């Protein structure tokens, strides 16, 4: 792609991250890099940052951290009920011996009997494109509703060259083309059931539902009704259409689904490229150029006509999977930024805590703490509307603080904090991060984890808000091609506490190519190495499942790492082993379990052809079901 002309994006293999990089340079060395650098300079401060033979040469030391001493002990007892698998570079899925997988749902599969079967020649029927399983599956959760099992699953974005294969350049050429793309994104809610032939979608289930770019939403919380959210179609600023770029997910204690709007900026453009846009658009990467050219055929996305529309996207959306007639709610109190996922926990006093990552280089990690207390069976309608949003500050001594984003601290109103959250976080000096992806909360220990997926750029550049991140001495991971996972321990074993301590669970790397910091931490070896940790979920036993979305060319710095994959990590020992490999070209993303924990549902996004249908077919994003042959629980 010509990085100076984002109008000429090649949709083949397109990513929203590349789209943003073309328009918005971010810090190459972030505030978090500086903290890690300082930790590395203190010999033995973090045992997890010991890189084997190369560490001694660099003077990093190996430390005496309990994690690494456990990892290095050959007699450590494994909690993994599988034999680790090698890498793969082919176009199918591999799981351990004693496990099998099957496709549950593919892009274009009917949810209702009136929907057309998928046609590889047309990329699916446009007329019923809102009645089928959508494109590019991502975060998901399973809900038990009575005696039924229902999965809610995100559809992050589309691949126009596949969805509109008859269009020469893969771009929409009509309002009908745009509507088809809009229909294929958003969320699917679907009932699933298992019979003698395995798992299947229950077609025509009363719970089945598609939520897309034209579904009515209610805006709630401190930003609802603010002038910045008002439009000609909605002069009240309380009702919007659609949810966008739905990435990760979450599940509330009361059984609703949280879908997370990530790269919403790319959907808005202008038919007048000379239009004057609000200054704060720059912080969010919004300008006259869009990804899918919606603005040419749907004026709601035309910034020259409706400049307030982008303020109505970038939120956490709550959906009730048990009520297909319910209106999804955009919870503005949880902030507006590029939400990755929403990991929930309960504080010791019953308040609801939601951890949130802003997936862009140089942005921040957040936490919302409700004002009210969750009571099973009680009123939950305002729990995610009333509370305080915090942003993380990591200190070099291994401590940290959640800084409250209040009017007093930021000089902004509550509504402004909710709408321009990145600006508020910059005002309080939050730590810039290397693309915070999924957060996972350990169900058996008071701790949480965040995947910081990568940051390959060198040099010193401010983020779009002007947050400087100067280099302060040697930084062995300045070219962070591999990523890491940070872990924190809330003070007083309370997720609502403002204090915490932190370490790094793993630094991904390649020990077959490097002998220095790029080899990875001591719990990374030739048999389990990976890059770009992204999705993360804990199972009920406290194992951390790690999914990757990185470089799978298997060359250079990534030689021997193969396709993207899913691994299991043991927080007690630091041990990490590979469980699943995806088809070449795909991202492994999204994970949930059946009610009896005997089936694991895994998302496979943007696989290359011919997965999963065989030669001569399009690549179709899918959700697969993985089971043990002996039918014992997986997690």
């Amino acid at each position: 792609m010509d990085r100076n002309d984002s109008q000429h994006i090649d949709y083949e293999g397109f990513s929203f991250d590349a789209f943003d990089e073309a328009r918005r340079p971010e810090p190459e060395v972030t505030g978090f890099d500086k903290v890690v650098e300082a930790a590395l300079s203190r010999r033995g401060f973090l045992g997890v940052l010991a890189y084997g033979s190369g560490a001694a040469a660099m003077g990093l030391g190996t430390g005496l951290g309990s994690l690494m001493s456990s990892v290095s002990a050959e007699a450590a007892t494994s909690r993994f009920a599988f034999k680790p698998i090698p890498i793969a570079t082919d176009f199918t899925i591999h799981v351990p011996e004693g496990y099998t997988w099957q496709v549950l749902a593919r892009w274009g599969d009917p949810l209702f009997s009136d929907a057309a079967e998928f046609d590889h020649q047309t990329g699916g029927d446009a007329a019923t494109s809102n009645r089928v399983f959508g494109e590019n599956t991502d975060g998901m959760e399973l809900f038990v509703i009575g005696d039924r099992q229902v999965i809610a699953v995100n559809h992050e974005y589309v691949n126009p060259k596949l969805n509109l294969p008859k269009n020469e350049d893969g771009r929409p050429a009509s309002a009908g083309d745009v509507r088809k793309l809009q229909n294929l994104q958003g969320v699917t809610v679907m009932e699933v059931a298992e019979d003698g032939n395995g798992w299947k979608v229950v077609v025509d289930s009363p719970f089945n539902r598609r939520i897309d770019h034209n579904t009515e939403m209610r805006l709630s919380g401190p930003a609802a009704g603010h002038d910045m959210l008002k439009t000609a179609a909605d002069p009240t600023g309380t009702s919007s259409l659609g949810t966008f770029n739905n990435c990760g997910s979450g599940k509330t204690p009361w059984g609703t689904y949280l879908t997370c709007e990530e790269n919403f900026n790319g959907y808005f453009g202008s038919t007048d490229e000379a239009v004057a846009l609000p200054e704060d658009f720059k912080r969010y990467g919004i300008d006259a150029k869009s990804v899918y050219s919606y603005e040419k055929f749907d004026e709601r996305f035309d910034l020259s006509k409706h400049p307030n529309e982008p303020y109505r996207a970038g939120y956490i959306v709550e959906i009730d999977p048990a009520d297909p007639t319910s209106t999804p709610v955009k919870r503005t109190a949880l902030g507006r930024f590029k939400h990755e996922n929403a990991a929930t926990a309960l504080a010791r006093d019953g308040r609801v805590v939601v951890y949130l990552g802003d997936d862009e280089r140089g942005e921040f990690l957040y936490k919302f703490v409700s004002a009210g207390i969750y009571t099973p069976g009680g009123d939950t309608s305002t729990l995610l509307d009333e509370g305080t949003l915090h942003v993380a500050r990591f200190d070099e001594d291994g401590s940290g603080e959640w800084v409250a984003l209040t009017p007093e601290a930021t000089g902004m109103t509550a509504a402004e904090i909710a709408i321009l959250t990145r600006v508020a976080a910059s005002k309080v000096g939050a730590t810039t991060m290397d693309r915070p992806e999924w957060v996972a909360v350990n169900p058996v220990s008071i701790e949480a984890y965040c995947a910081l997926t990568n940051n390959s750029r060198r040099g010193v550049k401010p983020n779009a808000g002007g947050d400087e991140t100067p280099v302060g001495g040697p930084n062995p991971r300045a070219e962070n091609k591999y990523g890491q996972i940070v872990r924190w321990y809330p003070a007083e074993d309370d997720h609502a506490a403002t204090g915490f301590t932190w370490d790094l669970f793993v630094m991904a790397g390649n020990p077959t190519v490097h002998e220095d910091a790029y080899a990875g931490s001591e719990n990374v070896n030739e048999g389990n190495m990976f890059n770009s940790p992204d999705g993360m979920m804990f199972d009920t036993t406290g194992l951390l499942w790690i999914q990757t979305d990185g470089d799978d060319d298997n060359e250079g710095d990534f030689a021997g790492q193969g396709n993207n994959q899913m691994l299991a990590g043991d927080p007690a020992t630091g041990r990490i082993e590979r469980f699943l490999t995806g088809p070449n070209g795909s991202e492994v993303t999204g994970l949930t379990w059946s009610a009896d924990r005997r089936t694991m549902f895994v998302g496979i996004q943007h696989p290359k052809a011919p997965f999963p249908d065989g030669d001569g077919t399009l690549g179709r994003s899918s959700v697969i079901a993985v089971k043990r042959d002996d039918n014992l629980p997986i997690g």
Side-chain angles (χ1 to χ4, degrees):
M1 179 178 71
D2 181 351
R3 300 172 69 87
N4 297 313
D5 187 1
S6 54
Q7 280 286 66
H8 299 289
I9 294 171
D10 179 3
Y11 288 111
E12 192 76 30
F14 170 80
S15 75
F16 274 85
D17 184 52
F19 178 72
D20 280 332
E21 285 195 64
R23 304 186 302 173
R24 284 190 51 185
E26 294 290 341
E28 295 181 8
V29 179
T30 69
F32 193 72
D33 289 323
K34 293 178 65 183
V35 174
V36 171
E37 174 189 333
L40 287 171
S41 70
R42 296 189 305 280
R43 189 175 183 87
F45 174 64
L46 291 177
V48 74
L49 294 178
Y51 299 100
S53 61
M58 297 178 64
L60 300 180
T62 58
L64 298 173
S66 60
L67 171 60
M68 287 302 99
S69 63
S70 298
V71 171
S72 60
E74 295 295 333
T77 301
S78 172
R79 296 173 57 208
F80 305 127
F82 63 89
K83 180 181 179 180
I85 65 172
I87 66 164
T89 59
D90 57 9
F91 297 89
T92 189
I93 289 169
H94 298 274
V95 292
E97 180 181 354
Y99 291 76
T100 56
W101 67 273
Q102 67 170 127
V103 173
L104 170 68
R106 302 159 295 182
W107 156 44
D109 282 350
L111 300 173
F112 303 94
S113 56
D114 61 1
E117 292 292 335
F118 186 76
D119 182 349
H120 287 271
Q121 299 303 310
T122 64
D125 177 50
T128 57
S129 53
N130 63 345
R131 309 279 286 171
V132 302
F133 189 77
E135 254 279 53
N136 286 315
T137 178
D138 209 309
M140 69 180 97
E141 297 282 355
L142 184 137
F143 300 85
V144 177
I145 303 173
D147 60 353
R148 306 191 186 196
Q149 299 188 61
V150 174
I151 292 177
V153 55
N154 292 343
H155 303 291
E156 186 177 12
Y157 64 99
V158 285
N159 300 294
K161 283 189 175 180
L162 302 181
N163 316 131
L164 304 170
K166 293 187 176 181
N167 292 19
E168 184 176 348
D169 60 359
R171 297 175 184 276
S174 67
D177 286 347
V178 166
R179 180 54 69 97
K180 180 179 181 181
L181 298 183
Q182 292 173 338
N183 287 347
L184 292 174
Q185 298 171 78
V187 177
T188 287
V189 181
M190 60 186 185
E191 183 181 351
V192 298
E194 187 179 23
D195 60 20
N197 296 316
W199 286 91
K200 63 182 179 181
V201 175
V202 180
V203 175
D204 292 326
S205 165
F207 295 103
N208 290 359
R209 183 183 188 186
R210 279 301 320 281
I211 297 167
D212 57 36
H213 288 183
N214 292 285
T215 301
E216 182 180 355
M217 307 271 151
R218 180 169 69 85
L219 293 156
S220 73
H226 191 275
D227 285 346
M228 295 173 72
L229 270 60
K230 296 176 180 178
T231 65
D234 172 31
T236 69
T238 60
S239 178
S240 66
L241 294 179
T243 179
F244 305 95
N245 207 254
N246 303 83
C247 188
S249 58
K251 187 176 186 178
T252 65
W254 50 94
T256 57
Y257 183 65
L258 301 178
T259 184
C260 308
E261 297 185 315
E262 190 188 11
N263 295 294
F264 65 91
N265 58 307
Y267 293 91
F268 301 93
S270 176
T271 54
D272 176 7
E273 292 195 9
V275 65
L277 298 175
E279 184 67 21
D280 58 73
F281 274 19
K282 293 180 181 179
R283 184 66 191 270
Y284 286 84
I286 302 165
D287 65 20
K289 299 178 177 67
S290 73
V291 176
Y292 299 131
S293 301
Y294 279 8
E295 71 278 5
K296 295 180 181 179
F297 304 101
D298 185 343
E299 76 165 46
R300 177 160 59 105
F301 298 89
D302 189 343
L303 298 174
S304 66
K305 298 177 180 178
H306 304 287
N308 276 6
E309 279 292 344
Y311 295 126
R312 295 147 63 86
Y315 299 104
I316 299 295
V317 183
E318 185 178 11
I319 298 168
D320 184 356
D323 183 1
T325 67
S326 62
T327 300
V329 183
K330 295 197 174 188
R331 300 293 185 183
T332 68
L334 277 64
R336 173 174 168 267
F337 45 84
K338 294 185 178 180
H339 285 280
E340 181 68 17
N341 83 317
T344 61
L346 289 178
R348 296 180 69 176
D349 62 4
R351 285 180 293 166
V352 179
V353 177
V354 187
Y355 290 109
L356 309 152
D358 184 354
D359 182 10
E360 191 161 329
R361 291 171 179 84
E363 293 300 339
F364 308 115
L365 179 64
Y366 298 88
K367 177 179 78 172
F368 172 83
V369 181
S370 70
I373 293 173
Y374 167 63
T375 302
D379 180 17
T380 60
S381 61
T382 62
L383 281 179
L384 299 183
D385 288 339
E386 300 169 356
T388 303
L389 191 63
H390 301 71
V391 67
R393 182 184 295 153
F394 290 81
D395 295 324
E396 295 185 7
D397 62 359
S399 65
E401 177 186 5
W402 292 103
V403 182
L405 297 179
T406 63
E408 295 76 18
T410 63
M412 302 165 67
T413 67
E416 290 169 339
I417 292 169
I419 299 169
L420 301 175
T421 310
R422 287 179 169 179
V423 176
S426 291
K427 285 178 177 288
V428 300
T431 301
T432 55
M433 306 288 277
D434 287 352
R435 289 186 60 193
E437 298 268 12
W438 286 63
V439 177
V441 178
N442 193 333
V444 301
S445 181
I446 308 299
E447 60 186 23
Y449 297 65
C450 181
L452 304 176
T453 192
N454 58 54
N455 182 3
S456 61
R457 299 178 219 154
R458 295 181 61 88
V460 179
K461 295 179 182 178
N463 65 13
D467 299 312
E468 296 290 346
T469 55
V471 176
N475 186 342
R477 298 276 296 202
E479 286 188 82
N480 185 8
K481 301 175 182 179
Y482 299 110
Q484 66 263 8
I485 296 174
V486 63
R487 166 174 54 186
W488 62 94
Y489 309 89
E492 301 175 352
D493 287 337
D494 188 354
H495 283 289
T498 56
F500 62 90
T501 57
W502 67 271
D503 63 14
L504 293 178
F505 175 63
V506 64
M507 295 277 280
N510 192 330
T512 69
V513 174
H514 301 286
E515 294 184 352
D516 55 12
Y518 298 103
S521 50
E522 195 171 305
N523 51 346
V524 171
N525 55 63
E526 184 176 358
N528 71 359
M529 62 182 179
F530 61 96
N531 71 87
S532 300
D534 190 332
M536 293 195 306
M537 289 284 285
F538 273 99
D539 65 24
T540 57
T541 71
L543 287 182
L544 178 64
W545 295 85
I546 303 164
Q547 300 173 318
T548 70
D549 177 23
D551 193 309
D552 64 357
D553 63 11
N554 207 36
E555 299 176 351
D557 286 318
F558 307 100
Q561 296 196 332
N563 295 346
N564 279 302
Q565 56 194 274
M566 184 167 75
L567 311 100
D570 185 350
T573 65
R575 182 173 176 176
I576 298 172
E577 300 291 2
R578 186 180 299 111
F579 176 82
L580 176 150
T581 57
N584 187 257
S586 72
E587 169 188 354
V588 181
T589 181
L591 175 63
T592 192
W593 284 265
S594 62
D596 61 11
R597 318 301 288 185
R598 288 179 167 84
T599 303
M600 171 187 285
F601 299 102
V602 183
I604 304 297
Q605 188 186 96
H606 59 74
K608 290 182 180 178
F611 182 87
D613 296 335
D615 292 342
T617 63
L618 298 175
R620 298 169 70 184
S621 292
S622 305
V623 172
I624 65 167
V626 181
K627 289 180 67 74
R628 286 178 58 152
D629 294 345
D630 58 13
N631 204 33
L632 290 176
I634 294 181

